[in-house]
Amino acid sequence: MDFSRISAGDGEALADFLAGEEWPYHAGTQDRETVRRFAAQGRYDDGETRTFWVLADGERAGLVKLQDLADDTPMFDLRVRQAWRGRGLGTAAVAWLTRYLFTELPDVLRIEGTTRQDNHAMRAVFRKSGYAKESHYREAWPAPGGTRHDAVGYAILRRDWLSGTVTPPDWNDEPVAGLT
């Protein structure tokens, strides 16, 4: 597997990729014209964003979009084509992007990702990759037809990545009733 940064001429390929697949766990739809326009505007590769093809057996099997790169807590979007799902590409891509962000951007302190609660495959990828669950937003992810799903947030700290540990948040930090 390889990762290749998109180029200025990849607008049509991005449109084919994003509009040519169903992305059941991604908010909103990606129509070809919007993707072309965003690519022409540089929204997939600028000072805040870098996008990479995930290449498997010479094929564009996925896409990694790194966002908020001027911040010390970037986020990412990962998409794997249906034909490639269940083969470990997601886990390999998250390992790659984590290493990339922590080595290429020394000011990055943590990396965040969010997915729908029912996206069990992505949640497993986060756990395998050393990311800790940090948030749970009830009915925060709109879906077609008016359905709303819970959203779940994960993150990895630079110090945890360096040490190979996972530091979970303190979920029991609420004050005890009656105590001040």
Side-chain angles (χ1 to χ4, degrees), residues 72-74 102 108-112 134 154-158:
D72 63 3
T73 304
F102 283 141
V108 169
L109 300 175
R110 48 185 278 115
I111 304 165
E112 295 180 356
E134 292 188 339
Y154 290 81
I156 188 168
L157 304 175
R158 178 185 289 275

Side-chain angles (χ1 to χ4, degrees), residues 67-68 71-76 98 101-102 105-113 131-135 137 153-161 167 169:
Q67 303 164 115
D68 302 327
D71 192 6
D72 63 3
T73 304
M75 297 187 73
F76 67 90
T98 302
L101 287 168
F102 283 141
L105 302 171
D107 293 333
V108 169
L109 300 175
R110 48 185 278 115
I111 304 165
E112 295 180 356
Y131 283 64
K133 180 180 174 183
E134 292 188 339
S135 60
Y137 302 103
Y154 290 81
I156 188 168
L157 304 175
R158 178 185 289 275
R159 65 181 163 87
D160 284 357
W161 177 72
T167 307

Side-chain angles (χ1 to χ4, degrees), residues 36 40 42 83 141 166 173:
R36 281 192 205 105
W141 196 299
V166 177
D173 66 339

Side-chain angles (χ1 to χ4, degrees), residues 92-166:
V94 171
W96 175 84
L97 73 86
T98 302
R99 182 175 54 255
Y100 177 87
L101 287 168
F102 283 141
T103 57
E104 294 293 318
L105 302 171
D107 293 333
V108 169
L109 300 175
R110 48 185 278 115
I111 304 165
E112 295 180 356
T114 304
T115 193
R116 274 183 17 189
Q117 180 185 25
D118 59 338
N119 189 346
H120 301 292
M122 189 63 209
R123 294 181 71 183
V125 166
F126 278 125
R127 291 189 303 273
K128 285 182 210 170
S129 303
Y131 283 64
K133 180 180 174 183
E134 292 188 339
S135 60
H136 195 115
Y137 302 103
R138 297 174 298 151
E139 298 181 10
W141 196 299
T147 306
R148 297 190 70 83
H149 297 274
D150 289 6
V152 186
Y154 290 81
I156 188 168
L157 304 175
R158 178 185 289 275
R159 65 181 163 87
D160 284 357
W161 177 72
L162 288 170
S163 68
T165 61
V166 177

